[in-house]
Amino acid sequence: MQLGMVGLGRMGGNMAERLRAAGHEVVGYANDGSGDVASLDELVKTLAAPRTLWLMIPAGEPTHSTVRSLADLLDEGDLVVDGGNSKFTDDTVHAELLDAHGIRYVDCGVSGGVWGRTEGYGLMAGGDPADIERMMPVFDALRPEGPREEGFVHAGPVGAGHYAKMVHNGVEYGLMQAYAEGYELLNAGGPVTDVGAVMKAWSRGTVVRSWLLDLMVRALEADPHLDQITGYAEDSGEGRWTVDEAILHAVPLPVISAALFARFASRQVDSPAMKAVAALRAQFGGHATHKAGDAANEPPTGG
């Protein structure tokens, strides 16, 4: 197939290369000038009708504005795939905008990170069955080798792909937090002398083995005490949306919610909430407090 790739960052650029290696023709566009063409208009003019464009750009306004531009540039029968991390509710808006011009729309959650170029990408697509079938040569080139159903799913109508990816990322938050807490406890002063080796020993045969664990082991091999990074963890939105959906549907998500809030806590150098806790302990129990600037790592006094 011939495909226009809009966005050539860490994901989009690697996906374009994987597709080219599989024999597809990819024409890339990036707003930093690194692509094969200089503008969306030139990209559309370069592609043969009916055109297929895949978006790998940041969610929110960058995607909204690109879809609005494509609605004016593309022709009836063309197809747009949003492979970024858009919120699933945006998909309905985008699909309706494009449909008014006779342009088809598919949303596709993509997992695989920087390793996807060689290992393949997990794909979760939403859209009309005919549009999914039209894209199948591209999906098959991007997904990992092996049975299609183990790396690709047509999750449902428009919006279902990004919904599935949202929940996937919520689960990812919980898994990452569990490994991180295990790492911290192993380092907390018990009898273990080589934390990295312990976690590596978990990577085969144990019930907690996973690719995320493999990546944790890789990180510890490169930086055994994680001295080269800080404990500040961003969140890109999907965890919040997952918790929002859980509240909407009254589904308890204690692990995913706690993992999300742990990321918020990582950004607080001096937590206002914990200051309040310290003040309350002093009030009700006369427990000692630390003045600003005191060493924080003293033995606990209970309560």
Side-chain angles (χ1 to χ4, degrees):
M1 286 181 62
Q2 184 190 58
L3 184 78
M5 181 68 73
V6 181
L8 300 171
R10 288 174 294 178
M11 291 282 283
N14 282 341
M15 290 169 67
E17 291 306 310
R18 184 173 176 88
L19 288 168
R20 288 178 178 132
H24 296 288
E25 178 188 352
V26 180
V27 183
Y29 165 68
N31 59 13
D32 63 1
S34 62
D36 304 301
V37 294
S39 66
L40 276 178
D41 183 60
E42 185 180 350
L43 175 62
V44 170
K45 291 177 178 176
T46 300
L47 299 173
R51 305 169 186 87
T52 303
L53 285 85
W54 189 300
L55 311 185
M56 286 304 296
I57 53 181
E61 186 53 34
T63 298
H64 299 328
S65 61
T66 301
V67 171
R68 289 194 294 266
S69 296
L70 290 175
D72 294 328
L73 291 170
L74 294 174
D75 297 320
E76 184 174 350
D78 292 344
L79 172 63
V80 173
V81 180
D82 180 8
N85 280 330
S86 292
K87 191 173 184 180
F88 71 96
T89 50
D90 291 342
D91 292 315
T92 301
V93 177
H94 296 159
E96 291 177 350
L97 173 62
L98 294 171
D99 185 63
H101 299 263
I103 302 164
R104 308 301 301 166
Y105 181 84
V106 166
D107 60 287
C108 186
V110 180
S111 180
V114 297
W115 300 96
R117 178 177 175 180
T118 56
E119 303 299 320
Y121 299 89
L123 305 171
M124 295 145 269
D128 185 90
D131 297 327
I132 299 298
E133 186 61 31
R134 173 174 166 179
M135 288 301 302
M136 199 55 71
V138 170
F139 293 146
D140 280 340
L142 289 172
R143 66 175 176 82
E145 295 182 6
R148 178 185 287 172
E149 62 271 17
E150 293 181 5
F152 168 83
V153 63
H154 179 196
V158 164
H162 280 144
Y163 195 98
K165 179 59 162 48
M166 174 191 72
V167 177
H168 165 281
N169 282 25
V171 172
E172 179 184 297
Y173 275 48
L175 291 171
M176 292 171 68
Q177 187 66 24
Y179 288 131
E181 291 175 7
Y183 166 80
E184 182 170 357
L185 183 56
L186 287 168
N187 269 294
V192 172
T193 57
D194 191 336
V195 173
V198 169
M199 300 195 82
K200 188 170 186 176
W202 294 352
S203 61
R204 288 186 184 273
T206 77
V207 296
V208 299
R209 65 189 184 275
S210 75
W211 187 44
L212 281 174
L213 178 60
D214 294 342
L215 295 177
M216 184 71 202
V217 170
R218 184 186 294 265
L220 291 174
E221 288 176 342
D223 184 6
H225 303 290
L226 302 182
D227 295 326
Q228 299 174 29
I229 57 176
T230 69
Y232 187 107
E234 289 283 7
D235 71 287
S236 56
E238 297 92 332
R240 301 183 190 210
W241 303 338
T242 304
V243 173
D244 286 344
E245 281 294 294
I247 294 169
L248 178 64
H249 297 289
V251 175
L253 297 186
V255 171
I256 294 173
S257 300
L260 174 64
F261 294 140
R263 294 197 186 190
F264 297 163
S266 78
R267 302 166 202 170
Q268 297 181 311
V269 176
D270 196 6
S271 167
M274 296 315 296
K275 284 185 177 181
V277 169
L280 286 169
R281 293 178 73 249
Q283 290 294 323
F284 74 70
H287 298 295
T289 59
H290 294 277
K291 292 184 174 64
D294 285 354
N297 296 320
E298 294 184 8
T301 56

